[in-house]
Amino acid sequence: MPLALLALAVSAFGIGTTEFVMMGLLPNVADDLGTSVPTAGHLVSAYAIGVVLGAPLLTGLGSRVPRKRMLLLLMALFTVGNLASALAPDFGWLVAGRFLAGLPHGAFFGVGAVVAARLVSEGRQARAVATMFLGLTVANIVGVPAATLLGQHLGWRATFLVVAAIGLAAMAALARLVPRIPVESHQDVRRELRALGNRQVLLGLLTAVFGFAGVFAVYSYLSAMTTKAMGFGESSVTVVLALFGTGMTLGALAAGPLTDRALRPTLYGSLGALAVVLAVFPFTVHVQWAALVMVVLLGGVGFMTTTPLQMLVMNKAKDAPTLASASNHSAFNLANAGGAWLGGMAIAAGWGWTSPALVGAVLALAGLAIAATAGLLDRGPGKASRVVAGARETGPAPQARPAHGDKAVTERPR
C-alpha cells in the first residue's frame, strides 16, 4: 500500500478521535458545565450536523481545488474547530466549536476516498478505502480511550487541545506523503449534483441514515451504560471504549476484502448482524463478561457497513463520485445525530439505560429493508452494476470493465 494512505489514515485517526471522544466525556462535560447527560448529548448532535451540512457545501466549494490542497484546507479547518472547542467559555460556545470541527469531516472523507481509490490498482480500491477508515477505527482503540482518560484527569479542554495537535501532525503527513492529484477535467458541481439524483445513490444514503443510527443510539451513551447498567467503575470506561474500537477495527479489516468480493451480501450481512446484536444487548448487559463481548460485536458488525456503503454510492454516482462519497458521511452523521437523539429520548422517557439498544435494533432493521429494496430494484436486464472500486455486488459474477469516465477514479496518479 502507498505511504500516502498512511497520511490519510493519520488524518482519519484525528477525525475519529474528536468525533467519538465526546461519548466518553459526556458525564464530565455535563458536570463541569452544569447540565444533564442527555442535554450534553447535543454536543454529539452538533458535530454530526456540522458534518451533514459541511460535506455537500465544502465539497461543492472545493470542486475545482486540487485534491491535495483541498485535503490540507479541510484538515486546517478541523484543527481550528478543535482549538475553538478547547477554548469555549460555556456550553453554547462548545456547541459552536463542535459544529465547526464537524464541518470538514464529510468533505475530507469524500475527497480522501476518491484519492485512496486512485492510489492503487483496480480491484484493490475497497481495501485502500478501508485502510483510510482504519485510522478512524484505530482512534477508538487508542485515541478515544486515551483522550477520555486525559479528559477525566486534566479536564475535557485538554482533550481537544491534544486533538488540535493531532490535526497539525496530520497536515504535515498530508503535505509530505500525498502526491499531487489534479482536479479531473470533467468534474463540476452540476455533474456531481446530478449524480446525487441517482435512485441507487439516494437509497444507499438512506440505508446509512437508518442502519447506522442503530450503532449511535447505543454508542452515544456507552460510557453512562458502563457505570449505570454494566456495574463497572468510571475507570473502566476507557477499557469498554477500547473494546468497542477493537471491534470497529476488526470489522473494518474484514469489510475491505469482503466488499471487493461481494458488495451487497456484505452490506446485508452486516446490517442483519447489527440488528441481532442490538436486540440481544439489553439481555446480556448485566452479565459483565457477556456485556463486554457484545460491545466488541457491536463495534465489529456496525462498522462493517461503512466500506460497502461507501463503495456503493461511489459506484452508483459513476464518474462524479466525490460529492456522493462526501454525502455518504453526511448520511452517517445524520445517523449519528438521530441515533443520539432517539437514544436520549428513550432514556429520558424512563425506559432504562439499555433501552437505546432496542431502538437501535429497529433502526438497523429499517436500514436492512431499504438496502434489500435497493438491491431488488437494481436487478434486471441491463442493470448489472459497475462498481467503481472493482468491488463485486455478487461473488462469482465477472467484473465489468470501467467506462471511459471512470478513469478519474481508477487510474493511478502519474
Side-chain angles (χ1 to χ4, degrees):
M1 286 289 181
L3 282 177
L5 291 177
L6 176 62
L8 293 173
V10 169
S11 303
F13 177 86
I15 292 173
T17 300
T18 201
E19 178 182 14
F20 297 118
V21 74
M22 186 54 69
M23 286 72 163
L25 293 177
L26 280 183
N28 305 86
V29 173
D31 289 342
D32 186 49
L33 298 180
T35 187
S36 67
V37 171
T39 299
H42 295 162
L43 294 167
V44 177
S45 299
Y47 183 93
I49 292 169
V51 180
V52 171
L53 297 178
L57 177 63
L58 296 181
T59 302
L61 290 174
S63 62
R64 296 191 178 277
V65 178
R67 300 300 193 189
K68 180 175 181 176
R69 185 184 303 169
M70 185 65 178
L71 291 172
L72 287 168
L73 289 172
L74 292 169
M75 189 51 58
L77 181 58
F78 164 85
T79 303
V80 170
N82 281 283
L83 186 59
S85 297
L87 301 177
D90 54 37
F91 185 77
W93 282 104
L94 181 56
V95 170
R98 291 289 292 167
F99 174 81
L100 182 62
L103 282 174
H105 176 128
F108 184 91
F109 280 117
V111 175
V114 175
V115 169
R118 292 187 64 189
L119 292 172
V120 296
S121 59
E122 185 177 347
R124 298 187 63 85
Q125 285 92 341
R127 290 176 176 84
V129 173
T131 299
M132 179 182 69
F133 284 130
L134 204 58
L136 192 69
T137 62
V138 170
N140 283 271
I141 299 177
V142 180
V144 172
T148 301
L149 193 63
L150 179 69
Q152 290 172 346
H153 287 83
L154 298 181
W156 56 268
R157 297 179 188 278
T159 295
F160 292 110
L161 286 174
V162 169
V163 173
I166 294 173
L168 291 174
M171 290 177 65
L174 291 169
R176 174 71 176 171
L177 299 176
V178 174
R180 180 181 176 275
I181 300 177
V183 178
E184 296 83 355
S185 59
H186 65 268
Q187 183 176 336
D188 59 62
V189 176
R190 287 173 296 179
R191 182 186 292 268
E192 296 274 358
L193 289 173
R194 284 197 299 271
L196 281 183
N198 181 287
R199 181 174 63 182
Q200 288 294 321
V201 172
L202 293 175
L203 288 172
L205 297 177
L206 200 59
T207 300
V209 169
F210 279 90
F212 213 63
V215 178
F216 279 98
V218 174
Y219 188 49
S220 299
Y221 303 98
L222 188 57
S223 58
M225 289 183 191
T226 299
T227 57
K228 299 180 183 297
M230 298 180 195
F232 290 105
E234 187 179 85
S235 60
S236 299
V237 169
T238 54
V239 176
V240 174
L241 293 175
L243 287 173
F244 185 88
T246 300
M248 288 174 61
T249 303
L250 294 174
L253 286 171
L258 286 174
T259 301
D260 275 329
R261 180 175 178 81
L263 193 155
R264 286 197 189 272
T266 301
L267 179 58
Y268 299 153
S270 58
L271 286 170
L274 175 61
V276 171
V277 169
L278 286 167
V280 173
F281 185 81
F283 301 100
T284 62
V285 73
H286 300 296
V287 180
Q288 290 185 337
W289 69 266
L292 296 179
V293 170
M294 297 305 292
V295 167
V296 175
L297 289 175
L298 177 60
V301 297
F303 278 78
M304 274 189 70
T305 64
T306 57
T307 299
L309 280 170
Q310 187 75 36
M311 302 314 301
L312 180 65
V313 297
M314 287 172 66
N315 168 50
K316 298 304 179 182
K318 297 181 180 178
D319 58 354
T322 308
L323 184 56
S325 177
S327 297
N328 196 43
H329 289 276
S330 289
F332 278 126
N333 280 270
L334 190 58
N336 185 335
W341 177 62
L342 291 172
M345 284 185 63
I347 294 170
W351 295 351
W353 286 101
T354 61
S355 59
L358 296 178
V359 173
V362 173
L363 292 168
L365 285 174
L368 177 58
I370 295 168
T373 300
L376 289 173
L377 292 174
D378 205 32
R379 290 182 178 179
K383 288 194 176 182
S385 294
R386 176 184 53 77
V387 179
V388 80
R392 300 178 185 175
E393 297 214 26
T394 56
Q399 180 177 319
R401 295 182 63 83
H404 176 73
D406 289 330
K407 289 184 178 179
V409 176
T410 58
E411 286 186 354
R412 300 180 66 177
R414 293 182 174 86

